[in-house]
Amino acid sequence: MSSQINSQGNGSTDREIIGAAPAPDGPVSVIDYTERIPNNVGLATDRRLQRALESWQPRFLDWWRALGPSLPTKDVYLRTAVAIGKDGWASWARVPMERYRWGIFLSERDEPRQIGFGQHKGETAWLQVPGEYRSELRRLIVVQGDTEPASVEQQRHLGATAPSLYDLRNLFQVNVEEGRHLWAMVYLLHAYFGRDGRDEAEQLLRRHSADADAPRILGAFNEETTDWLSFFMFTYFTDRDGKYQLGTLKESGFDPLSRTCEFMLREEAHHMFVGTTGVQRIVQRTAAVTASSGTEDIWPYGAIPLAAIQRYLNLQFSLSLDLFGSETSSNAAAYFTAGLKGRWMEGRRADDHLLTGATAHVPVIADGVLTAREVPALTALNLDLQDEYVADCQRGLRRWNADLERAGLAQRLTLPHVGFNRGVGAFAGHFVSPGGELLDEASWRRQAPQWLPTADDRARVAALMVPHYQPGEFASWLAPPTTGINDLPVEYDYVRF
Ligand code: BYC
């Protein structure tokens, strides 16, 4: 079977099919680890595709060595996907990181799936790329793929200042899996998009986070992740955007994309865990030190004041909201109608899954007033996803606030208004306070140091970022976790040097 672009009709004149899916070879629940590129997509049956990916592999490894984790290590206790079925899908071992087996894994499908939304609703999901949607699908896959190596680049130097071996290991687990998620998108580009797919796969290694000439595509992936407070906020808020975007791509009518995203979501759950528990452990320490010291200025105690945590939270939440695109988007409407990108939990939505006559309200700022405007629901789908995401973000805050309450403190963490500090969409260019008040630029800027991390916050957080690499040792600014990884003790030497 060939990965070459081959145009062939499928019986209808306007539905040109381009690219061919490699047929699974053997049970897809088993991943073949005897091959250079572990996979469950029958790569060995498609020599051309296999050769193309094997020639991309050394370039990926060059990129990993140049822009992946900078801290030299001997090995790391990592999980690696070994099967696709629900039980026992991962194996755990000490692995030298550059020998991690990055591979290509798609979720199992017992029977052909039906497209659940848009104008192709009810049709069998496509095993190949419909010609008329080729560029849109490629664009979605490239945007998704671009974020994965970007996050590894952003987190490259964090290993030098990890608060414990446990946390260092979690960082590296996230990093290798983001690398694997890049593989997932590169596989789709190589297998289904011919020459321009291969070109895009090259570009994914050429753009770099914050590179002046070739930056990453989406804004939040060009920001620096300078310290572990930012890292935990990133894994809480920005990885969570990843969860929601992958959830919509999992609904896609293009079955290989759907199956790829389904498996990525399984790995993603650990990234959510790292963010939720990471911030929680910081909040627990902050709460304990604030309560025992009787002051909110707990920097001298080697802990992070709640006000600074709130400012970091405000920043990462607002940057992450920008990743949803504009509240009103004809791109989003086109993706949905074409069956390329669905809604979060599309199957659970109690409507016609077409939305042709439906309307929704989106925020607008008109004559200096924040109000709402009715638009076709199809064009408001970025906002629909953003709303789901915001509700999910709120759940973590409830958990963190419960720790503040348990410590007997009156202060609480809050999500800022969705219009705060926005660079994309209806609020871009406006000056909204975290409380949702529309301000003039001067008064917003005057108050910004109360709302966003200041140079002083960053310097004080940076001063706390001292590595703790003795097994069982933890930095002063966060509580130890309650349990270790994969039932190992918290004191286990998860990383060896
Ligand atoms: N920065 O119609 P609009 C993850 C562009 S994170 C820069 O409003 P649309 C991960 C947009 O591309 C998830 N540019 O938006 C997390 C468009 O440009 P074109 C990543 C932006 O297209 C942590 C124009 O503005 N996955 O996985 O409806 C660690 C007008 O756009 C931005 C995806 O995002 C921005 N923030 O929606 C590791 C899923 N926002 O096309 C990994 C795939 C918009 O006119 N992507 N623009 O040149 C998509 O679904 C959509 O492209 C977006 C934008 C949701 C991103």
Side-chain angles (χ1 to χ4, degrees), residues 139-140 143-144 147-148 151 178 217-219 221 234 238-239 241-242 245-246 249 322-326 328-332 335 341 382 424:
R139 170 85 185 152
L140 284 171
V143 171
Q144 180 61 47
T147 63
E148 314 287 1
S151 68
E178 301 300 8
I217 296 170
L218 299 177
F221 293 90
F234 183 98
T238 308
D239 276 89
D241 168 54
Q245 298 290 350
L246 290 173
L249 296 176
D322 280 346
L323 294 173
F324 289 85
S326 301
T328 316
S329 164
S330 56
N331 283 348
Y335 294 151
K341 182 178 176 186
N382 285 344
V424 172

Side-chain angles (χ1 to χ4, degrees), residues 49 59 65 137 144 175 224 243 262 270 299 379 469:
L49 175 60
R59 290 201 278 284
R65 280 187 285 266
L137 265 173
Q144 180 61 47
N175 289 162
E224 277 184 290
K243 167 183 159 183
E262 192 169 317
H270 175 256
W299 293 115
T379 63
Y469 292 159

